Amino acid sequence: MFQNKRVLIAIGGGIAAYKICEVVSTLFKIGVEIKVILTNSAQKFITPLTLATLSRHPAYTDENFWQSTHFRPLHIDLGEWADLIVIAPLTANTLAKLAYGMADNLLTNTVLASTCPVLLAPAMNTDMWEQQVVQRNWEQLLTDNRFHGMCTGSGLLACDRVGAGRMAEPPEIITYVQSLLHTTGKRDLLGKRVLISAGGTREYLDPVRFIGNPSTGKMGLALAQAALHRGASVTLVHAPASWDVPLGVQAIPVVSADQMRASMVEYLPSADIIVMSAAVADVKPREYSQHKLPKKSLPQALPLEPVPDIVGELARLKQSHQQLIGFAAQTGDIVTPALEKLHSKNLDAIIANPIDEPDSGFGSDHNRAIFLDQQGQRIEIPPCSKLEMAHRIFDFLENK
């Protein structure tokens, strides 16, 4: 997916610069060609030699600004070379320059000499980040569709302040880079509200025992990331999971099918696209014990009752302008039961994916599937990462 993709990483002066080593190393390992620019301030925190070693290319500084390559200015060559520019950490100083179109170093000149998407990962002290002038510059810069801004995190900063301004972590930056390389920066979901369910619900018999399934929610997480990176406002209703919800996504944690149903119905009216990727339990114990049952007291035959049909209820409640997409995780023949669910539940589309194939299904970082819709489309999605599958799903929906 990333062969022949070219990313230029521009590093500003801040302690978060050390985190970019992981970004450069990981992107190189997945096949992305990387070049790096460091500002003079960035070199106080990390050396060009380190980045050159990780990227397998020279790391450029302002000393190279007037260096010509094939008799062309370096900033022109770099700007035309890049499929994507990542500026991380983005300092208040560089932000102000970009907001006003200033170009007084290699980084800012290269941005002005390019036309590709630019991903911004700001990092600064909380008081600096919250200054009215900084927020004004940030909002002004993001009015240009070239620029994609990452939310800052909150926590203990290097200045010992606890608050907003922490740079997004390397895995989040890497995922956003992958998304932008797929979409080439388009925001086809801008102004849309996307509601996603994720993970496997748990139906408890007592405080320690439950009926569940192996779903980790990774597919729902990837859908949330993809929708966010394409400009959507995203609400993620998720069962217990071991991953962190991406910055910028509204998270609604739930446990049981009843709780998931209540949240999905609550947020349904404001959604434009609803993706039901959660693995909801089919049944639950008829009775719940407030205290752990002794092993000898466990029933030989466990009385069960069905849980709510969430996707069926959403289909009955949805409006004509809304799109409802379901998932069907199956073994063996995945198409026949998926088509039956598509029509019986009156879904707009369904994703049939095998859980008995290598490196796909529950718990895997990869998946494969067949996209089916009410118009009779049948599109196979070959083995790929779950993030790529999420983007392919939104690609299909865009073309419907």
Side-chain angles (χ1 to χ4, degrees), residues 365-386:
D365 292 326
H366 297 79
N367 214 343
R368 65 183 72 189
I370 298 175
F371 176 91
L372 306 160
D373 67 12
Q374 290 286 1
Q375 288 70 48
Q377 283 196 96
R378 173 174 169 161
I379 304 173
E380 185 169 349
I381 305 175
C384 60
S385 71
K386 288 185 173 176

Side-chain angles (χ1 to χ4, degrees), residues 20-60:
I20 304 307
C21 293
E22 181 181 342
V23 175
V24 173
S25 178
T26 302
L27 290 176
F28 177 83
K29 289 175 183 176
I30 64 175
V32 178
E33 188 175 359
I34 303 291
K35 292 184 179 181
V36 179
I37 292 174
L38 296 94
T39 65
N40 287 334
S41 297
Q43 295 174 71
K44 305 294 184 182
F45 297 94
I46 190 169
T47 67
L49 176 60
T50 299
L51 277 306
T53 303
L54 293 173
S55 67
R56 279 70 164 182
H57 278 291
Y60 300 103

Side-chain angles (χ1 to χ4, degrees), residues 215 218-220 223 275-279 325-339 341 350-364 366-372 379-384 386 389 393:
S215 175
K218 289 182 178 180
M219 190 67 239
L223 286 160
V275 187
M276 193 70 192
S277 68
I325 296 86
F327 269 72
Q330 300 288 344
T331 58
D333 173 19
I334 65 173
V335 173
T336 301
L339 284 173
K341 184 176 181 180
I350 195 165
I351 313 301
N353 64 291
I355 57 173
D356 55 351
E357 296 288 340
D359 205 18
S360 65
F362 295 138
S364 174
H366 297 79
N367 214 343
R368 65 183 72 189
I370 298 175
F371 176 91
L372 306 160
I379 304 173
E380 185 169 349
I381 305 175
C384 60
K386 288 185 173 176
M389 176 173 288
I393 291 169

Side-chain angles (χ1 to χ4, degrees), residues 6-9 34-38 57-61 64-65 69 72-85 106-107 109-111 113-116:
R6 298 174 297 195
V7 174
L8 178 63
I9 297 182
I34 303 291
K35 292 184 179 181
V36 179
I37 292 174
L38 296 94
H57 278 291
Y60 300 103
T61 69
N64 309 117
F65 194 0
T69 56
R72 304 183 75 227
L74 177 61
H75 64 286
I76 303 297
D77 262 1
L78 291 174
E80 293 179 353
W81 173 87
D83 295 315
L84 171 68
I85 296 175
L106 179 58
L107 188 163
N109 273 272
T110 302
V111 171
S114 66
T115 58
C116 64

Side-chain angles (χ1 to χ4, degrees), residues 317-335:
L317 294 174
K318 82 177 186 75
Q319 302 298 308
S320 58
H321 71 278
Q322 296 176 308
Q323 291 180 296
L324 176 60
I325 296 86
F327 269 72
Q330 300 288 344
T331 58
D333 173 19
I334 65 173
V335 173

Side-chain angles (χ1 to χ4, degrees), residues 142-290:
L142 294 183
T143 61
D144 185 334
N145 284 334
R146 282 190 65 200
F147 293 95
H148 299 256
M150 300 193 71
C151 295
T152 61
S154 294
L156 178 64
L157 307 181
C159 59
D160 289 330
R161 175 70 185 272
V162 177
R166 176 191 291 273
M167 189 178 77
E169 295 301 318
E172 288 187 86
I173 296 174
I174 292 163
T175 299
Y176 213 136
V177 167
Q178 292 173 319
S179 288
L180 292 176
L181 290 176
H182 178 94
T183 64
T184 65
K186 67 181 178 182
R187 287 188 176 92
D188 53 316
L189 294 181
L190 189 64
K192 299 286 187 181
R193 295 183 177 273
V194 178
L195 174 62
I196 299 167
S197 69
T201 59
R202 299 178 179 181
E203 308 302 329
Y204 278 85
L205 170 65
D206 63 20
V208 299
R209 301 181 180 95
F210 62 86
I211 297 173
N213 58 68
S215 175
T216 58
K218 289 182 178 180
M219 190 67 239
L221 170 64
L223 286 160
Q225 291 169 324
L228 179 71
H229 299 161
R230 295 169 84 125
S233 297
V234 182
T235 299
L236 180 62
V237 179
H238 67 89
S242 59
W243 35 260
D244 294 326
V245 175
L247 295 172
V249 170
Q250 180 182 17
I252 312 296
V254 298
V255 176
S256 68
D258 284 322
Q259 293 171 346
M260 180 168 284
R261 174 207 162 272
S263 293
M264 293 297 290
V265 170
E266 178 183 353
Y267 288 95
L268 174 68
S270 61
D272 299 292
I273 300 172
I274 307 96
V275 187
M276 193 70 192
S277 68
V280 181
D282 295 304
V283 294
K284 63 181 180 180
R286 185 173 298 166
E287 296 180 357
Y288 173 75
S289 171
Q290 297 288 342

